[in-house]
């Protein structure tokens, strides 16, 4: 990785994430149950999550300014999540609070092969339909899991405000119509997907990979333990995964996005952005929870230098 010195100008750059703040309940199971059967699970423990907020926390931990646009419920303040985000200096001024609905929640089950099944309570997220995008005072606006129509509006507004636009449909991909996906792609600078989501997007749009790459400036596909591939201007950049012991893969993708976008705003080239992203993700999978083990920039840099 090339040497790079942080400056005040760099550290004042800001990334705003749009999408879910959620409370996660994460379980490791020996196998997924067949219909009409049951399996035992360990005791339930609450973790802070939500794809958009995972990115926001990662960006803050890595040293850039961070904000979140989201919908939460009546239980959010007492959950401790609000004060946790404020202590990280994350801008929560554009978080909508519902008095009638719960904060979104996810129950995530992982088998020994790191396959996952997630049950998601939408809760207060139903209010996205009522919201208008804010004036984005940011260098990058990252659109994560959330309401497709709201994400389309945010993509257009972010471009109007002069921000770079990043998009990760994640597990909410089935909610997107072909029209929504086409609209959002027309405003993107970065698009992140895992290999499964990549195939589903191609099928949804009824196009081949070359056609998709022509539409997006920088396309990043992650392949778990097999690393990632970055496509940009006809180049194909392969990035290895950082070897580590995987305890829980939940949140690895979100941490990759936080690392990549932070590195990009710090001025690194795309290959180094991918390496930094993989290194950040290697910390996350070592402990249970999407935000439990986010490294500082210095800690990430030290690990990456030792590996190389």
């Amino acid at each position: 990785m090339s040497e790079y010195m942080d400056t005040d100008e760099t550290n004042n750059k800001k990334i705003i994430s749009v999408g879910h703040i959620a409370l996660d309940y994460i379980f490791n199971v020996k196998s997924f149950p067949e219909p009409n059967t049951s399996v035992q699970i360990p005791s339930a423990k609450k973790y802070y999550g939500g794809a958009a907020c995972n990115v926001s926390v990662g960006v803050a931990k890595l040293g850039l300014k961070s904000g979140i646009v989201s919908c939460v419920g009546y239980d959010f303040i007492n959950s401790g999540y609000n004060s946790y985000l404020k202590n990280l200096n994350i801008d929560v001024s554009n978080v909508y609070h519902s008095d009638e609905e719960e904060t979104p929640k996810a129950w995530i089950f992982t088998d020994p092969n790191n396959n996952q099944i997630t049950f998601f309570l939408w809760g207060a997220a139903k209010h996205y339909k009522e919201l208008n995008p804010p004036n984005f005072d940011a260098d990058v606006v990252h659109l994560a899991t959330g309401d497709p129509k709201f994400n389309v509006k945010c993509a257009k507004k972010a471009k109007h405000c002069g921000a770079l636009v990043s998009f990760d449909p994640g597990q909410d991909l089935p909610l997107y119509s072909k029209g929504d996906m086409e609209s959002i792609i027309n405003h993107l600078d970065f698009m992140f997907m895992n290999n499964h989501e990549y195939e589903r997007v191609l099928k949804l749009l009824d196009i081949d990979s070359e056609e998709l790459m022509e539409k997006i400036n920088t396309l990043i596909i992650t392949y778990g333990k097999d690393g990632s591939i970055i496509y940009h201007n006809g180049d194909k950049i392969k990035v290895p995964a950082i070897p580590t012991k995987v305890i829980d893969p939940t949140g690895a993708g979100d941490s990759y996005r936080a690392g990549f976008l932070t590195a990009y705003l710090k001025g690194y080239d795309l290959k180094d952005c991918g390496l930094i992203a993989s290194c950040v993700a290697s910390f996350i999978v070592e402990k249970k929870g999407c935000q439990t083990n986010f490294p500082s920039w210095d800690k990430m840099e030290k690990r990456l230098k030792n590996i190389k």
Side-chain angles (χ1 to χ4, degrees):
M1 190 177 78
S2 58
E3 293 292 329
Y4 184 82
M5 295 298 292
D6 286 344
T7 64
D8 289 340
E9 181 181 355
T10 297
N11 292 331
N12 278 326
K13 291 184 179 295
K14 185 175 183 180
I15 298 173
I16 294 178
S17 295
V18 178
H20 294 311
I21 292 173
L23 298 171
D24 290 345
Y25 298 86
I26 302 171
F27 310 95
N28 293 94
V29 294
K30 292 182 179 179
S31 62
F32 298 132
E34 295 294 327
N36 303 311
T37 66
S38 64
V39 295
Q40 291 185 345
I41 59 173
S43 59
K45 183 179 178 181
K46 179 181 71 179
Y47 297 89
Y48 297 145
C53 207
N54 294 338
V55 174
S56 291
V57 169
V59 168
K61 291 284 186 76
L62 291 168
L64 295 192
K65 291 185 175 180
S66 181
I68 177 82
V69 178
S70 192
C71 294
V72 297
Y74 57 79
D75 53 346
F76 181 64
I77 299 295
N78 289 337
S79 73
Y81 208 159
N82 187 59
S83 57
Y84 163 75
L85 296 178
K86 287 185 175 181
N87 287 337
L88 289 171
N89 293 318
I90 293 174
D91 180 2
V92 294
S93 61
N94 288 306
V95 174
Y96 173 87
H97 291 250
S98 169
D99 294 328
E100 299 84 28
E101 302 290 340
E102 294 180 54
T103 298
K105 294 177 177 63
W107 291 266
I108 304 163
F109 301 85
T110 307
D111 74 5
N113 295 318
N114 289 326
N115 296 309
Q116 290 188 321
I117 293 176
T118 300
F119 297 87
F120 195 83
L121 173 69
W122 198 253
K126 75 176 190 179
H127 291 291
Y128 284 118
K129 294 179 175 62
E130 306 161 17
L131 304 182
N132 291 316
N135 287 315
F136 290 108
D137 179 20
D139 299 278
V140 172
V141 174
H142 175 68
L143 309 172
T145 51
D147 182 79
K149 301 291 187 186
F150 186 66
N151 273 354
V152 170
K153 290 193 290 185
C154 286
K156 294 176 180 178
K157 186 65 172 286
K159 270 296 173 189
H160 179 74
C161 293
L164 297 172
V165 181
S166 168
F167 177 47
D168 170 22
Q171 293 183 333
D172 281 347
L173 180 57
L175 301 178
Y176 282 84
S177 67
K178 182 179 180 181
D180 289 336
M181 186 60 68
E182 288 174 339
S183 294
I184 209 164
I185 281 176
N186 288 335
H187 297 85
L188 294 185
D189 297 283
F190 307 95
M191 187 170 185
F192 296 87
M193 292 177 283
N194 65 33
N195 55 307
H196 305 295
E197 293 156 355
Y198 176 49
E199 295 299 328
R200 290 174 193 142
V201 166
L202 294 178
K203 185 176 180 179
L204 173 64
L205 297 176
D206 193 24
I207 59 176
D208 59 27
S209 56
E210 286 76 16
E211 290 176 282
L212 182 61
M213 290 171 200
E214 288 175 2
K215 296 175 182 293
I216 301 170
N217 183 41
T218 306
L219 176 65
I220 305 100
I221 312 298
T222 57
Y223 292 86
K225 62 181 177 59
D226 295 319
S228 55
I229 299 177
I230 303 167
Y231 297 94
H232 176 74
N233 286 344
D235 293 331
K236 179 179 179 180
I237 305 168
K238 293 186 177 181
V239 179
I242 304 298
T244 191
K245 183 179 180 181
V246 178
I247 300 300
D248 173 27
T250 314
D254 300 331
S255 62
Y256 183 104
R257 286 115 177 91
F260 188 100
L261 295 172
T262 299
Y264 186 86
L265 288 184
K266 284 178 175 283
Y268 289 90
D269 63 31
L270 291 177
K271 178 63 178 285
D272 281 345
C273 287
L275 287 170
I276 289 165
S278 291
C279 189
V280 173
S282 74
F283 283 89
I284 293 302
V285 301
E286 290 174 343
K287 291 187 178 180
K288 189 171 286 191
C290 298
Q291 302 172 17
T292 308
N293 202 39
F294 260 118
S296 65
W297 183 266
D298 289 343
K299 193 172 181 180
M300 175 282 301
E301 205 169 31
K302 182 178 180 180
R303 173 174 290 189
L304 198 52
K305 286 179 179 178
N306 288 339
I307 289 172
K308 297 185 73 174

